[in-house]
Amino acid sequence: MSKQFQASQPIYLQIVDRICRQIVRNELLPSEKLPSVREMALQCGVNPNTIQRTYSELERMGIVETKRGQGTFVCENGNAVQELKLKLQSEIITNFVKDMKEMGLSEAEMLLGVKRHLKKIAEESHD
């Protein structure tokens, strides 16, 4: 999980985002135990306090739960994962539309571009 961090956003939020994306992609499954705070800090190359803050934020979001003496686990709540997926989808689409508008593209041009891209991906996967 050791990747470069962006200066534009707090590190703990970047790690929250990475973990959320792993959950959405089913790389982390419901009831799966996350690494200990110290272990995750070593993996990410950050201070354990940063990971503690990360886990606290994930718990506040209802994505993970901490069981005293056992560790931190991905919640089994399917609704929370679905809501997370929709939230991430909305953020990605919002950024995409903003970038395309800044390039001067119309809604029709954006849709055409997306359709062309999806068609290209479909053709490549059949090769």
Side-chain angles (χ1 to χ4, degrees):
M1 183 182 267
S2 182
K3 291 182 182 177
Q4 291 293 332
F5 295 104
Q6 306 297 317
S8 60
Q9 184 183 36
I11 292 173
Y12 84 96
L13 288 177
Q14 293 176 61
I15 299 170
V16 164
D17 186 57
R18 289 179 190 174
I19 292 170
C20 287
R21 289 173 186 269
Q22 288 178 313
I23 292 169
V24 166
R25 289 190 303 258
N26 290 324
E27 293 171 10
L28 289 173
L29 300 172
S31 75
E32 187 170 338
K33 186 176 191 244
L34 296 179
S36 71
V37 168
R38 289 187 191 279
E39 188 178 334
M40 181 69 89
L42 286 172
Q43 287 177 15
C44 294
V46 299
N47 187 298
N49 291 335
T50 301
I51 300 303
Q52 187 58 55
R53 192 163 180 193
T54 298
Y55 284 6
S56 294
E57 180 65 16
L58 288 166
E59 192 162 12
R60 186 194 65 74
M61 294 167 64
I63 304 299
V64 301
E65 62 182 333
T66 300
K67 298 178 183 175
R68 190 176 182 103
Q70 295 178 37
T72 303
F73 298 82
V74 177
C75 285
E76 295 184 37
N77 182 351
N79 289 338
V81 173
Q82 186 60 28
E83 286 175 23
L84 178 61
K85 194 177 281 191
L86 291 173
K87 179 180 177 269
L88 289 173
Q89 179 187 33
S90 179
E91 288 173 5
I92 290 166
I93 291 170
T94 298
N95 289 331
F96 169 79
V97 170
K98 178 181 165 264
D99 290 345
M100 294 297 111
K101 282 186 175 186
E102 285 176 2
M103 290 176 49
L105 280 94
S106 68
E107 183 178 318
E109 290 170 317
M110 286 182 229
L111 291 171
L112 182 62
V114 169
K115 287 178 184 177
R116 252 194 323 255
H117 186 76
L118 291 172
K119 183 178 179 184
K120 181 181 174 187
I121 290 172
E123 289 169 355
E124 288 173 355
S125 69
H126 285 86
D127 291 343

